[in-house]
Amino acid sequence: GLLAFSTAPLLPVLVEPELNASSPLVPEPPPLLLATATVPELVCVPSPPRTPTRPPVVAALLPAAAVNAPPEPLVPLPTATLTPPPRPPVAAPDPIDTAPLLPVDELPELNTRRPLAPAAPPFAARIATIPLLVCVPSPDSAQTPPPVRTALRPDRKLAPAPAPLVPLPALIVTPPPRPPVAA
């Protein structure tokens, strides 16, 4: 015969869960309580000798230059049609007179006002003070030329331009096709 299996989960007997009253554990102290600082040893290590190395040159061959005309259109292009805008319904606009308005009198008015009198100065008494004249000897005249600095300059060298890294493309000149001639 066949055996019957029940796969339903077991439910807890109590409706409310049990209170968890346990405190978390106290962490253990760190293994090293003292902070230590160690200075690295300074050892003189000679640098490797310099070797000037030029960059690698890649000899890549470029395809030959070719100029191709665009393909012929599959359908004929529309013809260009110029359509001017329609003319206005009236023959011409009315003229506009924009001349400036001129004054009635030809001569300007006479200005008969006089300027205002200046205000009196704040102090009525004038004081004149003569500067003190003290004889001070002038310093001796000394003519010294300015200092001249001699700047060393490097020797002039003219270097040729570097060679191109890839070969230059070949120049191909293609003349236009000749028009057909009736024989």
Side-chain angles (χ1 to χ4, degrees):
L2 293 173
L3 296 176
F5 289 105
S6 174
T7 58
L10 297 175
L11 297 175
V13 178
L14 300 174
V15 177
E16 293 182 14
E18 192 174 322
L19 178 64
N20 184 1
S22 61
S23 301
L25 299 176
V26 177
E28 295 182 9
L32 302 175
L33 294 177
L34 298 176
T36 58
T38 305
V39 179
E41 296 179 9
L42 298 177
V43 178
C44 252
V45 178
S47 298
R50 287 186 156 202
T51 56
T53 306
R54 298 189 62 82
V57 178
V58 178
L61 297 178
L62 298 176
V67 178
N68 295 333
E72 292 293 326
L74 299 176
V75 295
L77 296 176
T79 57
T81 305
L82 293 177
T83 306
R87 292 193 169 259
V90 294
D94 293 335
I96 300 174
D97 187 12
T98 58
L101 298 176
L102 298 176
V104 178
D105 299 332
E106 291 183 8
L107 297 175
E109 289 183 28
L110 179 63
N111 186 0
T112 58
R113 292 187 188 178
R114 299 210 175 254
L116 298 175
F123 301 108
R126 293 184 63 139
I127 299 174
T129 305
I130 299 173
L132 299 175
L133 298 177
V134 179
C135 287
V136 178
S138 299
D140 294 336
S141 174
Q143 293 183 354
T144 306
V148 178
R149 289 189 177 176
T150 305
L152 299 177
R153 294 184 177 166
D155 295 334
R156 293 183 69 161
K157 292 183 180 179
L158 296 176
L165 297 177
V166 295
L168 296 176
L171 180 65
I172 298 174
V173 178
T174 305
R178 292 184 174 239
V181 179

